Amino acid sequence: MPKLIIDDREIEVPAGTKVIEAAERLGIKIPRFCYHPGLGSVGACRVCAVKFLEGPFKGVQMSCMIDAKDGMVVSTTDEEAVNFRQYVIEWLMLNHPHDCPVCDEGGHCLLQDMTVSGGHGIRRYLGLKRTYHDQYLGPLVQHEMNRCIHCYRCSRFYQEFTGYHDLGVMQIGSRTFFGRYQDGTLESPFAGNLSDICPTGVYTDKPSRFFGRRWDYQRSPSICINCSLGCHTVASGRYREVVRQEARYSEAVNGYFICDRGRYGFFYTSNEERPRQALVDGKEVSYDQAIREAREKLGELIKSTGPDAVACVSSERSSLETQAMLKKICQTKGWQGPHYFLDESMAQKVKSASSRLESGLAVSLRELESADFILVIGADPVNEAPMLALAMRQAQRRGGKIAVIDPRPVSLPFEFHHLNVTPNEVNLCASLLVKTAVDLGAATDLEQPGIEFYQAIPKLETVSSSLQEQIAKVAQELKESKRPIIVCGTETVRQTTPALAADHALLLQATNKQAGLFYLLPGANSFSASLLASEDGSFLETLEGIENGTIKGLILVERDLLLHFHDRQRMELAFEKLELLVVLDYVNSRTQQRAHIFLPTSTLYEAGGIFITQEGRLQVVPRAHLSGTPIAQVSGGNHPPRIYESEIPGGEPRPGWQALAELVHEEPQPDENTTRSSVLNGLSELNPAFATIPAIDELPEDGMRVSSPEESSPRFSLDWIHELERKESPDKSLELVLVNWTFSTEELSQYSPPLMKLEKEAAVFMHVDDATSLGLSDSDKVTILLDRGALEASVSVKENMAPGIIVMPRHRLLEWQKIETLPKFVSHEEIKKVSV
Amino acid sequence: MKSALEAIGALATGFATTFKHLFRKPITEEYPEYRRPLPERSRAVIVLTRDPDGGERCVACYLCSAACPVSCISMQSAEREDGRRYARWFRINFARCIYCGLCEEACPTSAIQLTPYFETCERDILKLVYEKEDLLVEHSGKDKEYNFYKYAGVVTEVGDKGAHEREEKPVKIKSNLP
Ligand code: SF4
Ligand code: SF4
Ligand code: SF4
Ligand code: SF4
Ligand code: FES
């Protein structure tokens, strides 16, 4: 640990720390442009100059390039260094345009700050300025190349950090240009970060273009709920709407960056069509009246048929408070549910994932970056949880090896082994791989069931020889690794896979590897849903109850059944049978439009809330702004109204937990904060796992892990082997695999106009062999006959996927909800080419 | 006796002075019958001026509203079809304005200017809240020359890349020839 003196103050830092960082720990911020803690140093801009007075280096040097060493004495205020920095700024400003007033970076621009603080106030150079033509870079990023100071942050981020190559550097010297070869939408799903990292205004945020200045924004820490990772964000609100979301540093979760789905997925909260008024039979009424009517009708229902004629369904995008409130209500009132998952097998998968995530195995997203081998079982990182791909990229850059076992045409921005086996073979392939890599003789303290589990894994010879070869090759890398981490998805895998992944991680751990385990879950709050989910009864049983008339009332909390359930027609018929459908939500979903009584709820930005990520990390989000129709919508774009009102227009929505409390209690309820605390205080009664969490305001910045409940599901179960035996799909038919895409499938981001522009055409993927035998070629149009009618889509023919399946995205524009039962198989006759 | 004479003398001088003024020309100006022209630099009601070509000068950069010590300026910036940044709405609450002129000093485009006109008394305070249409004038005010977009380097109808003041032709990124 070198000790050095900076500006007369001593500090001790870990070896390898740069002087610029050491100074920052003392609270001294040395100017910088090219240096970024997430990207490292290159020494391109020369603005971080300081003077080294004693130690191994002497004189003016770049503080971002020099490691802190014992005995260094550094001055940041030495006249020579100060002058040096001032000249650097001046020459960086030679070509800088005179356009700060119309630049969106103005107000939080590093170049502005450095110019002013460096003391370069008056322009001395009167020559001509260099200019560039700008490019169209897609709907998210605006390009204004004149402002560039050639720090190379963008190209380093884009190419080295994220692994995409369509943006980079061209030309030389002062003509250096940063952009694409030609106009076009940026390919990287992390492109939005360019607006954050460019120290000037070359890349600015396009959706919030010309909306406001940083100093006017109400900035509030938030998290992203567009997938289960829960990346940290800062929400910028103004005039009652969130206008921009940026990445917020998190040591444990996302580091410095976020993905574009998360960055631009917030538009649902200020959607013009968002219902903000309570409705009874489609008519606008006051909130209290709607609640009174709902309570009366529920009362009548219960009086005539008993409390179990009412069922409740919530979702994975509701906050923990709302989920728990619903659970408590169901318990005390004797109502059915709540169901948080529609698919029982998914509920089981999430349950086994959350219960098998022991603290000895669980790793955070940041820890994943330190893996030297990552085995992905049944996940498609870029499409399911983009930031996972970015973390894997960092592991790969450090020399880590990556293998993905998944039937989909997985594509990642770096080199990896893809074992594109069929959905049925995923478990087997993963097991064979681990078995080949693990030498049981070297295993210390492996329990007996573990040994039996190992021995029960079939022989490598059970699979095709080409797969054997692939497995052997990957297994060798796994064998050599010291810190292997298993990433396991839940979307497309079999019910036994999450437990199997945990068992494999244990096997690896038993052979003295520092193994880790990382799950992906289907939604932002799936983990908490699975901690709360009741053991008895599935959503399907509730649906049957509605169909046979035993359930007459349904309460849906932030859940769009007509979007998520695989059989929309059946759902619609069930809705018709209901005597009472109460919907609480903050989006204008199809389901919301069917409600008899609708109660608007507040979004995450308006109410705050607790979300638990896929690794069990409980994170608290504060409210960013009050509920209310954005001023731009109230005034139709013109100036705000010239009248004063005591109530905020459109301010009716209430937090889900509060609306629920008011719905079931006759007597007036305390305010939302009191209700919230009482729900949170009662959490440990709902699941003992919550007993360990401290008071909400004592939680650390990065949240904390909820330790998995005592009775974790049994280790080393052999269920998956029995599953292997009874697989077999009907002959000559293709299994339909429903998947998610980065854009266009996730529920909340579907309301985002800029992300809609990034959506790819709804296409289904087929293996080249299947396509050939069907007589199809790439981008042919086909109709696929499902149980409830046909579906038209174009075909994308792929080699890097498993044969025997059709990969179908749950695309916003594809009516895939025509399936009677899952898993679904489609025969060759049911796929017809559409001739054009 | 002496002091009594002194007192009478003082009184007489006083009256004499007053009496003399009866025959002088008065210097009081009768307001509102007479409205004295104020110097251009006096600070009262604020206007939004136009550039010499007639375009709206204000680019809605929010600098005036940031500089205003009483926070009486609010606006919403937006992008016009031709790429110009402009104020979709712009509001000054003159009931709050202290006519300090800091907004004018902060303005990088010479758009916002204080004028000598000060007669804005109203019984209804809301009438002192001026919107953009009340503020926008048809002239350039005190600065007759400046057109921000001639220097800014961004593409608008005022000029393409390389066509503004003191600019080189744009770099050709796909050729090494100058
Ligand atoms: S575009 Fe921005 S990030 Fe890239 S080199 Fe120029 S100033 Fe740096
Ligand atoms: S990876 Fe997931 S949580 Fe993170 S920003 Fe993207 S969508 Fe949001
Ligand atoms: S004159 Fe002063 S108080 Fe009035 S708007 Fe300008 S900055 Fe604000
Ligand atoms: S400072 Fe000038 S250009 Fe900027 S918003 Fe105010 S009036 Fe408009
Ligand atoms: S920050 Fe050190 S050279 Fe750029």
Side-chain angles (χ1 to χ4, degrees):
Chain A
M1 296 266 282
K3 245 192 221 164
L4 70 167
I5 295 171
I6 305 175
D7 288 350
D8 302 330
R9 287 154 70 199
E10 196 179 61
I11 183 162
E12 198 174 340
V13 290
T17 309
K18 301 287 181 210
V19 172
I20 196 170
E21 234 172 277
E24 197 152 348
R25 290 188 191 193
L26 281 171
I28 303 167
K29 187 133 181 173
I30 299 174
R32 81 281 311 272
F33 291 124
C34 62
Y35 174 79
H36 183 289
L39 304 176
S41 340
V42 282
C45 73
R46 319 311 285 172
V47 83
C48 65
V50 296
K51 186 149 177 189
F52 289 77
L53 306 172
E54 300 290 338
F57 298 96
K58 288 277 169 59
V60 171
Q61 300 280 350
M62 297 309 120
S63 60
C64 72
M65 296 299 286
I66 291 182
D67 287 345
K69 290 267 154 48
D70 263 326
M72 278 182 171
V73 177
V74 180
S75 166
T76 67
T77 52
D78 183 273
E79 204 186 326
E80 201 184 335
V82 171
N83 285 341
F84 188 97
R85 293 199 299 261
Q86 191 172 342
Y87 291 132
V88 171
I89 297 276
E90 184 163 7
W91 88 54
L92 288 176
M93 288 300 290
L94 291 188
N95 286 305
H96 196 78
H98 179 70
D99 63 356
C100 294
V102 294
C103 173
D104 267 336
E105 190 80 1
H108 58 280
C109 174
L110 211 52
L111 183 60
Q112 268 185 344
D113 293 352
M114 296 304 147
T115 309
V116 174
S117 62
H120 172 59
I122 306 277
R123 188 176 191 79
R124 295 191 293 172
Y125 169 76
L126 296 176
L128 301 183
K129 290 179 186 178
R130 172 203 61 221
T131 63
Y132 297 98
H133 283 301
D134 304 323
Q135 289 177 330
Y136 171 78
L137 298 179
L140 307 182
V141 178
Q142 177 80 28
H143 198 212
E144 184 65 50
M145 213 12 235
N146 283 1
R147 299 173 185 148
C148 180
I149 54 164
H150 300 166
C151 73
Y152 286 74
R153 271 193 193 180
C154 54
S155 60
R156 286 153 66 212
F157 169 76
Y158 205 87
Q159 304 205 347
E160 293 165 26
F161 200 86
T162 77
Y164 288 81
H165 294 278
D166 61 310
L167 179 134
V169 46
M170 281 178 264
Q171 283 292 349
I172 46 165
S174 72
R175 299 147 55 85
T176 310
F177 174 86
F178 295 84
R180 287 169 51 91
Y181 184 69
Q182 56 190 22
D183 282 20
T185 303
L186 292 168
E187 284 161 18
S188 165
F190 310 103
N193 291 299
L194 291 174
S195 322
D196 286 1
I197 57 161
C198 178
T200 79
V202 176
Y203 308 105
T204 48
D205 190 76
K206 208 173 203 172
S208 69
R209 182 160 166 81
F210 291 173
F211 198 92
R213 293 270 174 232
R214 170 76 60 94
W215 62 69
D216 279 333
Y217 288 155
Q218 281 172 280
R219 284 162 61 77
S220 154
S222 194
I223 61 159
C224 167
I225 55 167
N226 296 101
C227 88
S228 61
L229 296 182
C231 296
H232 290 207
T233 65
V234 186
S236 290
R238 175 143 169 88
Y239 292 144
R240 289 206 297 264
E241 65 185 300
V242 175
V243 289
R244 183 172 178 189
Q245 198 158 241
E246 288 150 275
R248 175 163 61 98
Y249 177 71
S250 154
E251 183 53 48
V253 188
N254 54 305
Y256 292 90
F257 307 106
I258 53 171
C259 81
D260 291 348
R261 188 207 289 174
R263 185 178 295 265
Y264 300 104
F266 63 83
F267 284 89
Y268 65 90
T269 174
S270 50
N271 184 353
E272 268 192 69
E273 259 108 66
R274 174 175 162 197
R276 293 174 185 269
Q277 267 280 323
L279 303 170
V280 172
D281 296 321
K283 273 195 276 305
E284 293 194 350
V285 297
S286 75
Y287 214 100
D288 291 329
Q289 192 189 338
I291 282 192
R292 228 177 298 122
E293 291 205 22
R295 205 188 297 136
E296 271 166 28
K297 291 215 174 112
L298 279 170
E300 284 164 24
L301 254 179
I302 290 162
K303 218 159 158 200
S304 60
T305 18
D308 50 4
V310 178
C312 301
V313 184
S314 178
S315 79
E316 298 141 273
R317 64 173 157 94
S318 288
S319 65
L320 170 63
E321 293 90 329
T322 305
Q323 288 179 342
M325 177 59 95
L326 192 63
K327 167 89 177 180
K328 218 168 131 196
I329 290 172
C330 286
Q331 274 184 350
T332 49
K333 295 274 169 183
W335 297 349
Q336 295 210 20
H339 306 297
Y340 305 102
F341 302 94
L342 303 187
D343 175 14
E344 189 47 27
S345 127
M346 179 57 88
Q348 289 309 326
K349 283 189 262 184
V350 177
K351 186 133 237 155
S352 79
S354 62
S355 67
R356 290 301 303 273
L357 209 55
E358 306 156 24
S359 45
L361 282 180
V363 291
S364 68
L365 190 59
R366 274 331 273 302
E367 281 164 346
L368 192 87
E369 295 180 3
S370 65
D372 59 358
F373 185 92
I374 299 177
L375 173 61
V376 179
I377 306 175
D380 180 356
V382 173
N383 280 316
E384 290 184 40
M387 282 303 288
L388 170 62
L390 204 56
M392 287 166 58
R393 162 75 178 161
Q394 304 326 307
Q396 186 259 357
R397 283 176 71 201
R398 291 175 194 160
K401 299 282 188 289
I402 290 159
V404 179
I405 305 177
D406 195 279
R408 286 169 276 186
V410 175
S411 132
L412 292 168
F414 47 83
E415 247 179 65
F416 68 106
H417 300 286
H418 186 190
L419 302 156
N420 48 336
V421 296
T422 63
N424 272 331
E425 290 172 324
V426 168
N427 284 353
L428 179 63
C429 181
S431 306
L432 291 175
L433 177 59
V434 174
K435 185 174 184 173
T436 319
V438 167
D439 176 8
L440 206 58
T444 49
D445 62 46
L446 186 63
E447 317 149 37
Q448 186 56 26
I451 298 171
E452 282 164 23
F453 171 86
Y454 179 89
Q455 284 159 348
I457 300 176
K459 287 208 173 56
L460 189 55
E461 288 70 44
T462 43
V463 294
S464 70
S465 57
S466 66
L467 187 56
Q468 280 177 36
E469 248 172 63
Q470 268 185 297
I471 290 179
K473 197 166 138 204
V474 178
Q476 187 54 34
E477 290 175 359
L478 175 54
K479 194 169 187 168
E480 285 161 13
S481 70
K482 296 198 176 61
R483 176 128 174 83
I485 292 179
I486 296 185
V487 173
C488 175
T490 41
E491 285 280 1
T492 60
V493 297
R494 298 294 184 239
Q495 199 169 315
T496 47
T497 313
L500 186 67
D503 294 334
H504 286 324
L506 287 174
L507 270 188
L508 292 172
Q509 212 170 39
T511 51
N512 295 321
K513 292 188 192 300
Q514 210 195 333
L517 180 62
F518 188 92
Y519 287 109
L520 283 185
L521 300 184
N525 227 356
S526 299
F527 197 100
S528 109
S530 95
L531 292 182
L532 294 169
S534 44
E535 295 293 335
D536 39 66
S538 66
F539 171 73
L540 227 48
E541 286 164 32
T542 297
L543 182 56
E544 280 157 15
I546 299 174
E547 284 163 340
N548 62 32
T550 52
I551 293 174
K552 295 183 160 48
L554 185 62
I555 300 176
L556 298 180
V557 183
E558 295 163 1
R559 166 61 90 179
D560 184 359
L561 287 180
L562 294 179
L563 176 72
H564 291 117
F565 191 63
H566 54 78
D567 190 345
R568 184 177 287 168
Q569 192 182 332
R570 179 172 172 198
M571 207 67 237
E572 279 177 338
L573 289 175
F575 279 171
E576 270 160 34
K577 288 211 155 179
L578 281 173
E579 280 177 28
L580 179 64
L581 175 62
V582 182
V583 176
L584 289 78
D585 210 341
Y586 48 77
V587 288
N588 56 317
S589 66
R590 275 195 169 83
T591 306
Q592 177 265 327
Q593 288 155 19
R594 301 289 301 261
H596 301 138
I597 297 179
F598 169 73
L599 300 169
T601 55
S602 341
T603 62
L604 174 67
Y605 303 103
E606 299 158 353
I610 295 177
F611 284 76
I612 306 184
T613 70
Q614 38 62 251
E615 56 146 338
R617 187 175 296 279
L618 181 142
Q619 309 196 101
V620 189
V621 185
R623 146 194 287 159
H625 64 92
L626 286 173
S627 256
T629 311
I631 294 208
Q633 286 169 29
V634 173
S635 60
N638 203 341
H639 60 73
R642 294 175 62 88
I643 37 166
Y644 298 106
E645 279 178 75
S646 52
E647 302 274 310
I648 302 175
E652 281 80 10
R654 297 177 191 178
W657 67 81
Q658 180 71 8
L660 282 171
E662 289 172 12
L663 183 65
V664 292
H665 294 110
E666 291 282 342
E667 60 279 7
Q669 286 299 296
D671 70 12
E672 53 192 65
N673 291 330
T674 322
T675 315
R676 182 179 184 220
S677 330
S678 74
V679 180
L680 294 178
N681 290 338
L683 275 180
S684 49
E685 289 157 31
L686 300 177
N687 190 324
F690 290 116
T692 52
I693 56 168
I696 290 311
D697 40 10
E698 284 162 26
L699 273 169
E701 173 89 342
D702 271 338
M704 64 170 288
R705 290 202 56 233
V706 183
S707 44
S708 30
E710 299 287 312
E711 10 58 82
S712 76
S713 40
R715 293 169 162 198
F716 300 117
S717 139
L718 294 178
D719 285 352
W720 67 276
I721 292 188
H722 309 312
E723 208 178 49
L724 282 181
E725 285 147 20
R726 56 183 150 80
K727 43 166 187 186
E728 283 338 304
S729 51
D731 222 18
K732 276 275 248 177
S733 64
L734 306 174
E735 184 179 347
L736 194 66
V737 181
L738 290 170
V739 301
N740 286 322
W741 277 0
T742 317
F743 306 117
S744 74
T745 62
E746 189 271 327
E747 183 179 2
L748 293 177
S749 61
Q750 292 186 11
Y751 294 91
S752 161
L755 294 185
M756 279 184 208
K757 292 187 197 144
L758 284 178
E759 285 174 359
K760 283 183 281 178
E761 191 199 358
V764 297
F765 293 97
M766 244 180 238
H767 189 263
V768 58
D769 293 348
D770 294 324
T772 323
S773 63
L774 280 161
L776 296 173
S777 46
D778 200 54
S779 60
D780 274 354
K781 289 254 176 313
V782 289
T783 59
I784 301 174
L785 189 65
L786 298 176
D787 310 300
R788 306 276 183 232
L791 174 90
E792 195 169 308
S794 70
V795 179
S796 183
V797 178
K798 296 275 174 191
E799 271 180 54
N800 62 340
M801 62 178 279
I805 58 170
I806 301 178
V807 175
M808 180 182 283
R810 294 189 179 87
H811 198 290
R812 186 172 66 88
L813 304 173
L814 197 66
E815 287 205 350
W816 56 271
Q817 299 94 337
K818 290 180 175 170
I819 303 160
E820 205 177 322
T821 44
L822 284 169
K824 164 78 187 157
F825 296 90
V826 185
S827 72
H828 278 197
E829 292 73 50
E830 287 164 326
I831 304 171
K832 293 225 164 49
K833 184 170 165 178
V834 184
S835 39
V836 256
Chain B
M1 189 65 197
K2 193 173 172 212
S3 63
L5 280 177
E6 269 174 13
I8 290 166
L11 264 178
T13 354
F15 277 117
T17 311
T18 315
F19 192 74
K20 253 195 323 212
H21 276 276
L22 281 178
F23 303 98
R24 284 224 174 133
K25 203 167 165 242
I27 57 164
T28 311
E29 286 164 358
E30 292 297 325
Y31 178 85
E33 289 75 12
Y34 175 72
R35 286 180 162 90
R36 184 179 189 176
L38 293 171
E40 231 188 3
R41 61 165 197 279
S42 11
R43 304 192 310 259
V45 164
I46 298 171
V47 292
L48 287 177
T49 61
R50 290 176 185 274
D51 61 39
D53 307 330
E56 271 174 34
R57 257 179 178 159
C58 173
V59 297
C61 67
Y62 293 90
L63 287 180
C64 52
S65 74
C68 177
V70 295
S71 297
C72 68
I73 306 180
S74 49
M75 79 195 82
Q76 177 59 61
S77 52
E79 186 175 13
R80 233 168 53 179
E81 251 156 49
D82 58 3
R84 264 173 100 124
R85 181 174 166 139
Y86 80 112
R88 174 167 285 159
W89 53 267
F90 194 109
R91 176 183 274 184
I92 300 181
N93 183 350
F94 283 113
R96 243 205 246 172
C97 177
I98 53 169
Y99 303 100
C100 62
L102 290 183
C103 48
E104 182 171 345
E105 270 187 56
C107 182
T109 66
S110 283
I112 198 166
Q113 297 182 12
L114 282 80
T115 65
Y117 179 70
F118 60 87
E119 299 159 304
T120 50
C121 272
E122 294 285 355
R123 281 177 191 282
D124 178 2
I125 281 191
L126 197 58
K127 286 192 182 151
L128 285 170
V129 177
Y130 281 34
E131 303 292 353
K132 186 173 161 188
E133 52 272 28
D134 309 318
L135 297 166
L136 199 63
V137 294
E138 295 301 319
H139 54 81
S140 308
K142 289 173 266 190
D143 187 340
K144 304 268 183 278
E145 254 130 63
Y146 194 59
N147 183 348
F148 169 78
Y149 281 108
K150 277 197 183 146
Y151 301 86
V154 294
V155 179
T156 61
E157 91 288 353
V158 176
D160 204 345
K161 283 290 159 81
H164 305 97
E165 300 288 326
R166 281 206 226 120
E167 274 188 351
E168 283 170 9
K169 287 267 160 290
V171 170
K172 290 189 205 130
I173 57 166
K174 291 177 191 167
S175 155
N176 275 337
L177 301 173

